Amino acid sequence: MIVVPFCSLTLAVMAAHFILGPIGWKIGDGIAFVVQAGISGKFRVLFGAIFGFVYAPLVITGLHHMTNAVDLQLIAANEGTAHPGTMLWPMIALSNIAQGSAVLGMSILQKKDSRAQEVNIPSCISCYLGVTEPAIFGVNLKYGFPFICGMIGSSLAAIFSTANSISATAIGVGGLPGILSIVPQYIGQFAIAMAIAFFVPLILVLIVGRRKGIDKEAEKAGIEEAEEAAIEAKEAAAPAEEIADTDHLASPVDGKVIALAEVNDGVFSSGAMGDGVGILPSGETVVSPASATVTSLIEDSKHAIGLTLKNGIEVLIHVGIDTVDMKGKGFAYKVKEGQTVRAGDPLLTFSKADIKAAGHPDTVLMIVTEDNGISDIVMHPGQDVEAGEGEVATW
């Protein structure tokens, strides 16, 4: 337990010190020489453009850590020369800033989406302080185009940096504080490079994001959050409402009621799920057909909802045929599971246009999945109804 690990550790240390160490140092010298040649040669601007563009993708792979060793090699090699320090680290700091500005652009576009801001704001701050992983993985790669915009801004800033031979005397301080490690005579030029890295991705993200409608999506999300908050506040303020008993189900949506056998679906038409009706909708809001408790929601697709009445009858309202495939596009819940609703209260909204575009019928189905021993339930198809009105089913 003691001798074997000790001998193994001793051999490993000796191998690292006398064999691997010198080999690794020689390899580091070689890489540093290549980088130094690229940075200080006549093609240094091209090298800067390429390095500035690919540094963020290197972060994804973890290969960016190898640049620390190269920076240290460059600092040691350039000590006492006319250009001390490393020209590599300034470009790394500029890449941090560029990715942070891409997140800042998304934060502006999504200012009305509080959930998105919970990720955007801390990611942006950490990025400006030199830690890019939360911004890259949490925001920029999620949407794609902010990551590319950041790479472009980083590349342009790196071109300016290498063209002006900006170098750093030390590493470790990235992002906006990276200016603290810059050789004093280049601080002014580095401030200009920082401005390029800051504004170019920000402007590009705002332009592309608005064309993609990111701001509109955020506004819609903000409205939905406000509605949810209002519902929660109303529920918290109001005492628990007792469910009223009833002897009928009203229509859950505006439209024409048809017999279940006329619905073009094998499972529902056969009555395998229970007796019920179909409604050819003229509206896009589903309301509760009676006072009930919301007992089931399908959060992934939001196309159906389950209710339980006071007498134990369970009702399923299903919007469209095979609309589960739409994965929630065009659907939005207006209630939460466990909530008490009255007849006519909005349950969910849907888009007939989205359902049609997906190639599905938009027939709304109301099925009694559990009659709780009430055997005289009668359906009444063949009538035009308004949401929350009429007697579509009676007992």
Side-chain angles (χ1 to χ4, degrees):
M1 291 176 63
I2 299 174
V3 175
V4 173
F6 175 77
C7 292
S8 300
L9 180 61
T10 302
L11 290 172
V13 170
M14 291 176 64
H17 183 72
F18 293 106
I19 301 173
L20 299 179
I23 293 174
W25 190 257
K26 291 296 182 182
I27 294 174
D29 281 340
I31 296 174
F33 175 79
V34 173
V35 173
Q36 177 72 357
I39 290 177
S40 60
K42 59 183 179 180
F43 296 110
R44 69 178 186 273
V45 173
L46 177 60
F47 178 88
I50 295 172
F51 184 85
F53 191 77
V54 303
Y55 182 75
L58 286 179
V59 174
I60 298 174
T61 65
L63 292 175
H64 65 297
H65 291 296
M66 73 177 184
T67 61
N68 293 335
V70 177
D71 274 313
L72 293 174
Q73 290 284 87
L74 291 174
I75 291 172
N78 292 329
E79 186 176 359
T81 65
H83 296 285
T86 171
M87 292 172 60
L88 199 62
W89 185 257
M91 292 190 286
I92 294 173
L94 293 170
S95 179
N96 300 157
I97 296 170
Q99 290 296 322
S101 288
V103 181
L104 179 60
M106 290 300 296
S107 183
I108 294 173
L109 290 171
Q110 298 176 311
K111 60 185 178 182
K112 294 185 179 181
D113 186 345
S114 61
R115 290 195 182 99
Q117 296 294 62
E118 290 175 1
V119 178
N120 292 342
I121 294 175
S123 297
C124 181
I125 293 172
S126 68
C127 212
Y128 280 145
L129 295 177
V131 181
T132 58
E133 284 84 353
I136 289 176
F137 292 105
V139 182
N140 293 348
L141 280 178
K142 178 181 177 181
Y143 294 93
F145 72 92
F147 186 63
I148 301 299
C149 293
M151 291 168 64
I152 293 171
S154 173
S155 181
L156 293 177
I159 289 173
F160 182 87
S161 180
T162 51
N164 288 275
S165 301
I166 299 173
S167 59
T169 58
I171 66 172
V173 183
L176 294 173
I179 196 170
L180 299 174
S181 64
I182 301 300
V183 175
Q185 69 191 72
Y186 298 119
I187 287 180
Q189 292 97 318
F190 187 71
I192 297 174
M194 289 172 67
I196 296 172
F198 183 90
F199 287 107
V200 170
L202 175 62
I203 294 170
L204 289 177
V205 167
L206 291 176
I207 293 172
V208 177
R210 287 198 173 103
R211 289 184 177 179
K212 288 180 173 289
I214 300 296
D215 52 338
K216 300 298 182 183
E217 292 178 5
E219 184 176 356
K220 181 180 178 181
I223 293 173
E224 290 178 354
E225 287 175 18
E227 290 176 347
E228 290 176 3
I231 291 172
E232 290 175 357
K234 182 179 179 181
E235 290 176 353
E241 183 178 351
E242 185 176 346
I243 301 173
D245 204 354
T246 183
D247 60 358
H248 71 278
L249 295 175
S251 175
V253 66
D254 296 336
K256 180 177 178 61
V257 183
I258 61 174
L260 199 59
E262 298 178 44
V263 177
N264 187 25
D265 181 85
V267 176
F268 287 115
S269 300
S270 66
M273 296 287 292
D275 197 10
V277 295
I279 300 98
L280 303 178
S282 57
E284 296 184 325
T285 299
V286 173
V287 304
S288 181
S291 294
T293 300
V294 178
T295 47
S296 63
L297 300 175
I298 306 176
E299 294 294 348
D300 291 339
S301 57
K302 300 179 174 62
H303 73 295
I305 188 166
L307 304 172
T308 300
L309 279 58
K310 183 177 182 179
N311 59 11
I313 288 178
E314 296 179 9
V315 178
L316 170 68
I317 300 174
H318 189 287
V319 181
I321 306 298
D322 296 327
T323 45
V324 65
D325 297 339
M326 295 173 63
K327 298 181 179 179
K329 182 179 180 183
F331 295 88
Y333 281 137
K334 300 300 179 183
V335 292
K336 295 186 178 297
E337 194 166 312
Q339 182 177 335
T340 300
V341 292
R342 295 172 295 178
D345 286 350
L347 300 177
L348 66 88
T349 58
F350 62 96
S351 169
K352 294 176 63 177
D354 284 340
I355 295 175
K356 182 179 180 180
H360 302 304
D362 61 6
T363 307
V364 176
L365 297 143
M366 183 169 67
I367 309 295
V368 176
T369 56
E370 172 57 60
D371 60 20
N372 198 32
I374 300 175
S375 58
D376 60 343
I377 301 175
V378 179
M379 303 297 164
H380 302 283
Q383 55 178 313
D384 294 320
V385 290
E386 295 183 2
E389 302 293 335
E391 295 186 355
V392 175
T394 58
W395 52 87

